[in-house]
Each structure stands twice: as C-alpha cells, then as structure tokens.
C-alpha cells in the first residue's frame, strides 16, 4: 500500500491555521512548557516534525536552542513565518523551516531530539504511513538521540457521548478585533477501524452578534492504544525510555488523558 495523499490534511489545516494559536493556548496550555523542558534537558539541536504555526519551535529558539521545524501545511507554516518575522534576529537565526511531508523528507542532518507534539501521529490512519513516519524519525536522529511524541488516550465513554453529539469546545474573544469566536467539534467514530471523522466549524461574530464568517472543515484521524504504540515502536527499532500519562510527567495509567512517549533508537543499531 502506498502513502496516503495529503490533500485532505492540507484542506483541513487551511481552516485550522487562522485560529490555531489562540484555540490551542486555551485547549492545551501545557504542551509548550513540557517540550521546552525536554529541549533544555537535551540541549538540541531539535527537530519539530509537524511544527504547525511554530508555537513550540519559537519557544525553543527563544531558549537559545537551535530548532528545525518541518510541516506539510503551507497555511500553518505561513503563520509560523509571520510570527517569526517579529522575533529578534537571535531567535530567527536559530530556526530553520522546511515545507515538506515528514514521512519522506530528507533533511540531510541529524538531531539530538525529535519532537512531534500535538497529536501529530493521529494524522496517520494506516500502518504504512505510521511506519514511514517512524522510519524517517529514525533516519534523522543522532545515535542515542531522543524522540518524543504525544497522542491522547482514547476515552471511549466521552467518544460515545459528548463528542458524537458535537460540542462547543472553544468560545473566546479575539484580541484586537473583539470578535467572538466559537468552535464546534463533532467526531464520528468508526470503532472497528480505530478512526474518527472530526468535523469542526468556526463561527466569527462581531460585537453586535452578527456573523462575520463561518467555515467548516473535516478530517479523518486515528487513535492509538498503548499496546499498538509499543508494538509499532519496537517494529521500527525504538526503545521506550518513558511512557507518561500527562504533561506533568505522571506515569501512564487507566485515567491518564495523554500518552506521551519518550524513546531512543535501539542499541542494536
Ligand atoms: C495539531 S498540529 C500540531 C502543531 C505543533 N506541533 C503544535 O504542537 O502546535 C499537527 C501538525 O502536523 C502536521 N502534519 C501532519 N502530517 C504531516 C506530515 N506527513 N508531514 C509534516 N507535517 C505533518 C500538520 O500539517 C499540522 O500542522
């Protein structure tokens, strides 16, 4: 089976990009400090695979660590470039941005730490895509280098109830315009294939309540169990160093919201 084309993903992130930083600062405020901590412990250089708008890469570069961001979405990277333009030259100099599909990209260098924050692995529905991604991480890691990614732990009760009905999961006032932005999310689950169609709708209203714009996007995503992640990593020759259940580094357990895996290429290389 060949790799999945990315046209659906690119169309989805066109809708996500304008709202991404503000929405995710509300929804997932602890991602950045967790990955920044790891970057500081390794000292870099860091590769952020699936860097999006650069909210984590920029923090890493501000901490005087070299960071290379790769992403396949031109819309997410446009935001990254815009934000970077207002950073001091010392930060800009530490960042490299590459527009590429990291399942196949060859960056011609290796890194002490590769991170894939923000459920990037959920984009890969089929094993062919998952394995291509992990293999490419392997190719870009220093011997003894570290690879860290997160993916949510599936909460089947919530999936069956809350998300299948659709929820407003973001309701905020936009800085500058004063617009009210509401995001509605619904997930249609196909439990037998461990995948779900995510539908999102962003409604932007002015101060008087008039709708200024409305946009909907959808994408198919995948969720993971711990057992299959451990199998996949072993198959692609990674040894797991830590398996955390949240961004405070609590050990993984039944009630953990996250699966955060720190691994390294196997010694047998
Ligand atoms: C939810 S965003 C996370 C962005 C960023 N890591 C963060 O935490 O803010 C997922 C990103 O992964 C990117 N992505 C998905 N598949 C990719 C691939 N094959 N190659 C490169 N980037 C990919 C998407 O374009 C998107 O920007």
């Amino acid at each position: 089976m060949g790799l999945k084309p990315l046209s659906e993903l690119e169309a989805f992130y066109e809708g996500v990009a304008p709202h991404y930083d503000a929405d995710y600062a509300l929804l997932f405020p602890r991602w950045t400090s967790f990955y920044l901590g790891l970057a500081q412990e390794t000292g870099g250089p860091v590769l952020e695979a699936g860097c999006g708008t650069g909210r984590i890469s920029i923090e890493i570069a501000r901490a005087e660590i070299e960071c290379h961001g790769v992403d396949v979405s031109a819309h997410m990277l446009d935001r990254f470039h815009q934000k970077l333009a207002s950073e001091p030259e010392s930060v800009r100099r530490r960042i490299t941005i590459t527009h590429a599909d990291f399942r196949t990209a060859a960056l011609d260098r290796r890194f002490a730490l590769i991170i894939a924050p923000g459920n990037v692995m959920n984009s890969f529905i089929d094993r062919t895509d998952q394995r291509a991604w992990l293999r490419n991480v392997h190719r870009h890691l220093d011997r003894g280098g570290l690879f860290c990614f997160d993916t949510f732990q599936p909460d089947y009760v919530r999936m069956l109830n809350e998300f299948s009905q659709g929820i407003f999961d973001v309701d905020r006032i936009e800085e500058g315009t004063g617009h009210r932005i509401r995001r509605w999310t619904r997930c249609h689950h196909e439990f037998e294939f461990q995948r779900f169609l995510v539908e999102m709708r962003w409604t932007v209203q002015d101060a008087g309540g008039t709708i200024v714009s409305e946009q909907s996007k959808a994408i198919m995503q995948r969720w993971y169990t711990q057992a299959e992640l451990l199998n996949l990593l072993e198959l692609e020759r990674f040894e797991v160093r830590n398996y955390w259940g949240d961004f405070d580094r609590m050990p993984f357990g039944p009630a953990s919201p996250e699966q955060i895996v720190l691994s390294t290429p196997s010694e047998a290389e």
Side-chain angles (χ1 to χ4, degrees):
M1 194 195 297
L3 296 182
K4 187 174 179 250
L6 295 177
S7 44
E8 186 198 40
L9 187 124
E10 289 174 55
F12 178 73
Y13 279 102
E14 179 181 4
V16 169
H19 308 292
Y20 185 82
D21 285 329
D23 285 357
Y24 282 75
L26 277 178
L27 293 168
F28 305 105
R30 290 174 306 145
W31 287 355
T32 309
S33 55
F34 169 83
Y35 285 103
L36 176 61
L38 271 186
Q40 285 168 323
E41 285 160 34
T42 61
V46 178
L47 169 66
E48 185 179 0
C51 61
T53 59
R55 68 196 186 108
I56 294 173
S57 288
I58 290 176
E59 286 303 326
I60 291 173
R62 283 181 181 158
E64 302 188 5
I65 298 168
E66 200 193 331
C67 191
H68 192 135
V70 180
D71 204 285
V72 76
S73 162
H75 292 95
M76 295 291 269
L77 289 183
D78 281 351
R79 300 266 152 184
F80 193 168
H81 282 289
Q82 278 164 25
K83 281 162 40 183
L84 198 55
S86 56
E87 289 291 323
E89 143 70 16
S90 57
V91 173
R92 293 204 306 270
R93 167 158 60 75
R94 283 187 210 106
I95 288 194
T96 308
I97 302 175
T98 302
H99 181 202
D101 175 357
F102 192 67
R103 294 172 304 177
T104 50
L107 301 177
D108 216 18
R109 64 169 302 192
R110 287 175 182 261
F111 299 85
L113 173 66
I114 300 184
I115 58 175
N119 293 308
V120 176
M121 284 283 290
N122 294 59
S123 305
F124 311 124
I125 311 286
D126 298 320
R127 212 146 59 109
T128 325
D129 299 299
Q130 296 156 0
R131 292 189 63 182
W133 175 272
L134 290 175
R135 220 168 289 148
N136 211 24
V137 168
H138 212 290
R139 276 185 213 116
H140 287 86
L141 262 186
D142 283 342
R143 186 175 281 265
L146 293 172
F147 170 45
C148 191
F149 68 94
D150 60 81
T151 178
F152 65 86
Q153 170 161 222
D155 178 339
Y156 301 105
V157 175
R158 234 181 136 199
M159 287 164 160
L160 272 174
N161 300 312
E162 190 176 351
F163 280 112
S164 60
Q165 303 302 317
I167 54 168
F168 283 99
D169 55 354
V170 174
D171 189 347
R172 62 182 172 83
I173 302 297
E174 189 173 51
E175 244 181 71
T177 62
H179 287 159
R180 181 181 185 192
I181 300 187
R182 294 205 299 161
R183 186 177 93 169
W184 175 85
T185 303
R186 181 168 64 189
C187 301
H188 172 74
H189 288 278
E190 296 176 2
F191 283 88
E192 67 278 34
F193 299 119
Q194 273 185 236
R195 65 187 188 197
F196 57 109
L197 182 73
V198 191
E199 296 168 80
M200 287 183 181
R201 187 178 64 233
W202 294 265
T203 307
V204 181
Q205 288 170 295
D206 67 18
T210 305
I211 294 180
V212 177
S213 68
E214 197 156 50
Q215 192 176 30
S216 300
K217 294 282 177 186
I219 193 170
M220 191 64 90
Q221 297 252 288
R222 176 76 150 69
W223 77 79
Y224 293 91
T225 63
Q226 184 190 34
E228 69 170 328
L229 281 179
L230 294 176
N231 282 338
L232 264 175
L233 287 164
E234 189 178 319
L235 200 59
E236 291 305 335
R237 299 165 297 126
F238 287 94
E239 254 168 48
V240 174
R241 287 276 178 84
N242 281 100
Y243 207 105
W244 292 300
D246 208 346
F247 291 103
D248 55 8
R249 301 195 187 196
M250 286 297 281
F252 178 75
S256 302
E258 302 286 343
Q259 308 184 72
I260 306 169
V261 194
L262 183 71
S263 63
T264 190
S266 306
E267 283 295 321
E269 287 302 296

